[in-house]
Amino acid sequence: MEHYRALAAPGEAQDAGALEALRRLLRPEDRPAELADVLTALIGRLSSADRERRQALLLELSELAETRLSDKPRAVEALREVVRLEGTHVD
């Protein structure tokens, strides 16, 4: 896990693959704050074309923030972003 953390460390060369690997590794662990940070970093790396993926990660972040971190403002902000993205979607 340390190898992935080094590759996913904040900075210009954050590795998306390492972030995704950390996400998978942290899910079963009892490290919700780290997982929330990884989700935030993944969301920040997505292009606007990845609307569905962004929404899925935002929903995951919202649930984690509310249920595991007791961070309702963070949960609400993530849900607001989901609603904003849904409002800009045109079929």
Side-chain angles (χ1 to χ4, degrees), residues 22-50:
L22 269 175
R23 178 177 169 246
R24 285 191 304 273
L25 290 169
L26 290 170
R27 269 184 166 167
E29 299 285 323
D30 190 25
R31 296 176 170 176
E34 283 182 75
L35 179 55
D37 290 343
V38 168
L39 289 169
T40 300
L42 278 168
I43 292 163
R45 290 186 54 84
L46 292 174
S47 73
S48 58
D50 291 326

Side-chain angles (χ1 to χ4, degrees), residues 43-72:
I43 292 163
R45 290 186 54 84
L46 292 174
S47 73
S48 58
D50 291 326
R51 186 187 58 81
E52 289 180 19
R53 175 96 169 112
R54 182 181 298 270
Q55 285 179 314
L57 290 173
L58 284 163
L59 288 171
E60 184 177 345
L61 176 60
S62 176
E63 181 180 347
L64 180 70
E66 182 178 5
T67 61
R68 301 291 313 278
L69 298 173
S70 298
D71 187 346
K72 294 204 186 292

